[in-house]
């Protein structure tokens, strides 16, 4: 299937909320990790979301280029081509973008999609994230409103964050404290500023104790009931049941019951990066340690080309990441839900 059209993406998100499941949103940094994610979604018979961060996009542009827009465009072009061979719908997304990178990342990419749509084509990406967690809520929502107007023109879904995700990602670090919990008042202010779809479609990453990074299960203190409280408050004010489409950030170390509870409250997208990074790297480490004298020319020997060929260990890495995507789909209840 081709990359999901705006209409297909909208249907994906609607089906997920109605069915109380979510799509894994897999961060990728290369053609290998992209291909592995695609295979994982296909194996799980699940539609899905594949995304790049600002750092991932810069990396994709090449070590001497380091241009986020170039890397993101190259990634999207490659994804649009290879995704055609897989029997699932895939949406392309850009992950956390703070205020100081909007003009170097999200806004130029939105302009590219706007021009594509004006020419009768589909947008390059299906959604973009504005991460306003580091600025006051009023400023966060003011910028979100401006970006939502741009997104609507380009048939793009906007993702915003209201609240703070702890830990570190792409060099942005937040403390682990009470700011990790979005308030009902913040949720109501968000809807007052952005509406409920009439101004453009958006997803909201409301925080309920989420933390980026590596944590053992149970160490992250999540309170999914916060999502339910905000859904109920907004729903009561606007006369709608579960009106918000929510996003789960910082899921590593979360207990399965906490993840499933969040799905019941309207989470339709869950970011997965740390776990898939490890799933990709672990088989490579195993291959190198098991085949030390084959991948290296030890003591003047010639090594074993079949073992140090990047395809030899690359296939193992891809298989590891694909398996983790399959597991994620199972956790998020999206297995077998692909749209025909």
């Amino acid at each position: 299937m081709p990359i999901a059209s705006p209409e297909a993406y909208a249907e994906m998100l609607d089906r997920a909320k109605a069915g109380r499941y979510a799509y894994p949103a897999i961060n990728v940094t290369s053609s290998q990790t992209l291909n592995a994610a695609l295979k994982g979604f296909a194996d799980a018979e699940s539609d899905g979301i594949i995304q790049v961060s600002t750092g991932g996009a810069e990396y994709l542009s090449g070590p001497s280029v380091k241009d986020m827009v170039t890397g993101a465009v190259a990634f999207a072009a490659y994804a649009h081509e290879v995704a055609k061979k897989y029997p699932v719908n895939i949406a392309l997304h850009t992950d956390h973008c703070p205020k100081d990178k909007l003009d170097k990342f999200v806004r130029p990419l939105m302009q590219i999609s706007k021009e594509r749509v004006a020419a009768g084509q589909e947008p390059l990406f299906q959604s973009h994230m504005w991460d306003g967690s580091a600025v006051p809520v009023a400023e966060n929502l003011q910028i979100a409103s401006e970006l939502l107007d741009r997104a609507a023109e380009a048939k793009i879904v906007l993702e915003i964050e209201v609240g703070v995700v702890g830990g570190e990602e792409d060099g942005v670090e937040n403390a682990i404290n009470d700011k990790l919990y979005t308030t009902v008042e913040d949720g109501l202010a968000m809807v007052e500023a952005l509406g409920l779809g009439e101004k453009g479609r958006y997803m909201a990453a409301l925080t309920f104790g989420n933390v980026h990074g590596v944590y053992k299960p149970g160490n992250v203190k999540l309170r999914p009931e916060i999502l339910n409280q905000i859904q109920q408050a907004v729903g009561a004010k606007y006369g709608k049941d579960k009106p918000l489409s929510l996003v789960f950030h910082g899921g590593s170390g979360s207990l399965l019951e906490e993840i499933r509870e969040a799905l019941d409250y309207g989470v339709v997208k869950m970011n997965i990066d740390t776990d898939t990074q490890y799933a990709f790297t672990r088989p490579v480490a195993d291959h190198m340690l098991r085949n030390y004298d084959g991948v290296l020319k030890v003591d003047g020997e010639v090594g074993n080309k079949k073992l140090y060929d990047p395809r030899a260990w690359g296939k193992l890495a891809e298989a590891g990441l694909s398996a983790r995507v399959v597991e994620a789909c199972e956790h998020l209840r999206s297995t077998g839900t692909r749209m025909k």
Side-chain angles (χ1 to χ4, degrees), residues 100-127:
D100 64 340
K101 294 181 179 178
L102 282 173
D103 287 338
K104 297 180 286 187
F105 192 50
V106 164
R107 288 192 176 108
L109 291 173
M110 283 187 170
Q111 182 61 29
I112 290 171
S113 285
K114 180 180 177 180
E115 292 170 2
R116 286 170 61 98
V117 169
Q121 300 174 294
E122 302 287 9
L124 189 64
F125 282 83
Q126 285 61 62
S127 51

Side-chain angles (χ1 to χ4, degrees), residues 43-60:
D43 289 346
E45 296 187 347
S46 170
D47 301 321
I49 300 169
I50 297 178
Q51 60 190 24
V52 288
S53 65
T54 55
E58 182 181 273
Y59 181 82
L60 278 157

Side-chain angles (χ1 to χ4, degrees), residues 1-10 73 76-77 80 84 89-92 109-128 151-157:
M1 293 179 180
I3 292 295
S5 66
E7 295 76 19
Y9 191 29
V73 170
H80 274 267
K84 296 175 185 176
N89 297 278
I90 299 295
L92 303 182
L109 291 173
M110 283 187 170
Q111 182 61 29
I112 290 171
S113 285
K114 180 180 177 180
E115 292 170 2
R116 286 170 61 98
V117 169
Q121 300 174 294
E122 302 287 9
L124 189 64
F125 282 83
Q126 285 61 62
S127 51
H128 294 291
E153 290 177 342
K155 298 184 178 181
I156 292 168
V157 176

Side-chain angles (χ1 to χ4, degrees), residues 27 52-57 95-96 98 101 168-173 212 273 277:
N27 280 71
V52 288
S53 65
T54 55
D95 201 7
H96 293 266
K101 294 181 179 178
E168 186 273 334
E169 181 174 61
D170 264 358
V172 178
E173 187 167 359
H212 288 134
D273 187 15
Q277 287 179 348

